[in-house]
Structure formats: C-alpha cells, structure tokens
Amino acid sequence: MTQLPKPTSLPPSSSPNTTNANNLQPHEQTQTATTSTAAAFPSPSLNLRITNLTHPGTTLFLSTTNPSITIPRAINNLLRLLYNSPSDPSTHPPPTSSVTLILEDFSGVAYTVGSPTDSNAKEIHFSQSYISHIDRSRLANEIDGVLTHELVHCFQYNGRGNAPGGLIEGIADWVRLRCGLAPPHWKQEVKDNWDAGYQHTAYFLDYLERRFGNGTVRRINEKLRVNRYDERVFWPELFAQDVKSLFADYTRTLKQQGL
C-alpha cells in the first residue's frame, strides 16, 4: 500500500468543460479565508492500493492523474463547501482518520465503505474497467469528478443513518457540481421525486443554495449530524416549508425555463 501525502491547502480544481462560473463561487468566496487555516481541518492519512498494475484502467489512471495532488485538493474543496472553515463554529467535520483508494476490477463505477473495525477509516473502491472505458478527451476530469463524489461520502453526515440515499448521493453530486466537475450528460430536468438522487437531487440542492443563500447545503449537512432524519420536521425546521413544497417551487422554475 502506498501512502499519499496528507492534505495541504491547494487551489480549487478547475475543469475545461466548466460552463457556469457560479459553480465555483463558494470556492472563490472562501479561498482566502481558508488558505491559512486548512491545516486545521481533519487531515486523514491517504493510501493507494492497486490490485492489478497491468490493467488498462490502472495505466490510464496513473498516466492522467496524480492522486497525491488530486485527492488532497478534492478533500480541501469539499471541506470548504460543507464546513466553510475550521474556525466556523456552526459546522463540525467528522473525525475521518484515513482514506484508502483501491483500484480494482468490478462492474459499476465506484463505492465507498467504512472499515469494519474503525468507522473513521474509509475505503474508496474505483473500477479499473470503468476507467478504461472513459472518453479519453475527458479522462482526467471524470476521474477527478468520481473521486470528489466518493470523497464526500468520507466526510458527510447521514442523519444518524436515517437519511434517504437520494439526499446523500445528491449532496455528493452537488459538491461535484460546485467544483466544476459535472460531466456533459448532466442536465436539469423535471423529476417526480426530490430524492431521485445523484445529479437530479444535486440540482435541486443547488436551487436551494441560490434561493436561501450560500451555506444552505452546509446547514443541511450539519443538521444531518445533529438529528436523526425525519422528513416531517427536518425541512420545516430549516426552511419553514416541507420538502415537497420546496421541490414543487423548484419544478415550477424548471418548467418556466422550458426544461
């Protein structure tokens, strides 16, 4: 197992396919404040494990990505978005002690799990087969996006294990969206349920962030730390509205835009 350097204060990631400068606005607003204090954020040990060094996916990963840069940068970006700064008393990052990236061959894209013996030790499993099939023109961007999404799972809260999976995945994709790492196929579209998950919930959360102000998703994540998730009280306590009403408002804005 290769141990990667611990996270340091690095600039936000950029992407050649970023089309909305507002996606990076939270980074721009907090970069100066966090540059000198990022070291106070949780600083987990970072490790890399490769199960098959000769797999084409491994070759592509290592030729386009420097994990000792990409992973610490992604961690710092997500911490800024979900926790603002180490000195912010309204947020409390979890005590994640280690993150191990494991490149191995399996169907699917990636998943994150905790160690059975230490809940603060996280493992990100990334499919070598998936990596080998990514369009070469956006290989580095997609790897960065997937890693950012999975790293969010290492540092977010889940309402004492009771939050809907769509919300958890939506928060992870919202961070990816705000980092300018949305893939080309993502788009806002009308869905039946607010917790459809992934980019669908991410765009809904981004609507709430714009409507209620920067730090809205941060407040959602913090409430998921403090309280066991109960939809009947969770959203009204935050926004004085239930989530179905908020989602109906969001859906109306999409229809007005012809989406």
Side-chain angles (χ1 to χ4, degrees):
M1 183 185 299
T2 301
Q3 186 168 26
L4 303 177
K6 290 193 174 185
T8 56
S9 180
L10 295 170
S13 61
S14 60
S15 166
N17 73 337
T18 300
T19 57
N20 183 356
N22 289 331
N23 286 346
L24 297 180
Q25 185 176 359
H27 295 170
E28 295 166 356
Q29 291 178 339
T30 61
Q31 184 177 7
T32 301
T34 59
T35 297
S36 62
T37 56
F41 271 128
S43 185
S45 64
L46 304 177
N47 308 286
L48 174 64
R49 185 190 308 164
I50 300 174
T51 61
N52 183 352
L53 194 59
T54 62
H55 192 288
T58 299
T59 303
L60 289 168
F61 179 90
L62 295 176
S63 65
T64 58
T65 304
N66 184 341
S68 68
I69 294 175
T70 301
I71 293 176
R73 179 179 61 204
I75 290 174
N76 283 329
N77 285 342
L78 74 87
L79 288 173
R80 280 196 293 271
L81 286 166
L82 293 182
Y83 301 101
N84 189 32
S85 76
S87 60
D88 186 345
S90 69
T91 62
H92 302 81
T96 301
S97 59
S98 69
V99 177
T100 301
L101 172 61
I102 302 171
L103 300 183
E104 59 183 340
D105 197 10
F106 60 91
S107 61
V109 180
Y111 63 92
T112 298
V113 294
S115 166
T117 58
D118 181 2
S119 62
N120 293 324
K122 309 296 182 181
E123 293 182 356
I124 297 174
H125 297 250
F126 201 167
S127 169
Q128 294 162 317
S129 291
Y130 179 78
I131 294 170
S132 67
H133 288 93
I134 299 171
D135 187 320
R136 299 298 186 269
S137 66
R138 53 179 315 277
L139 182 61
N141 185 271
E142 177 65 10
I143 289 174
D144 199 356
V146 171
L147 287 177
T148 296
H149 174 105
E150 295 302 327
L151 283 163
V152 173
H153 291 326
C154 299
F155 290 91
Q156 69 182 146
Y157 292 104
N158 62 9
R160 310 289 177 88
N162 206 45
L167 177 57
I168 299 303
E169 299 296 344
I171 290 174
D173 265 359
W174 176 80
V175 170
R176 180 175 178 175
L177 177 67
R178 282 280 169 141
C179 287
L181 294 169
H185 68 271
W186 281 17
K187 61 180 181 179
Q188 288 182 285
E189 55 188 346
V190 174
K191 286 286 185 178
D192 292 335
N193 301 314
W194 71 270
D195 58 350
Y198 297 100
Q199 74 266 26
H200 306 296
T201 299
Y203 280 116
F204 170 53
L205 293 171
D206 203 53
Y207 161 79
L208 296 178
E209 184 83 2
R210 287 181 281 109
R211 177 177 170 182
F212 295 99
N214 289 332
T216 296
V217 176
R218 190 181 304 137
R219 290 169 53 213
I220 291 173
N221 180 65
E222 177 65 12
K223 192 167 181 62
L224 289 171
R225 178 188 74 87
V226 175
N227 299 119
R228 185 175 186 273
Y229 180 86
D230 182 341
E231 184 175 301
R232 295 168 299 177
V233 298
F234 185 88
W235 300 92
E237 286 180 353
L238 282 171
F239 304 108
Q241 286 182 258
D242 61 65
V243 69
K244 292 181 180 178
S245 298
L246 292 167
F247 188 66
D249 292 340
Y250 167 66
T251 300
R252 277 194 291 273
T253 66
L254 293 184
K255 291 179 177 178
Q256 289 169 357
Q257 298 169 15
L259 299 175

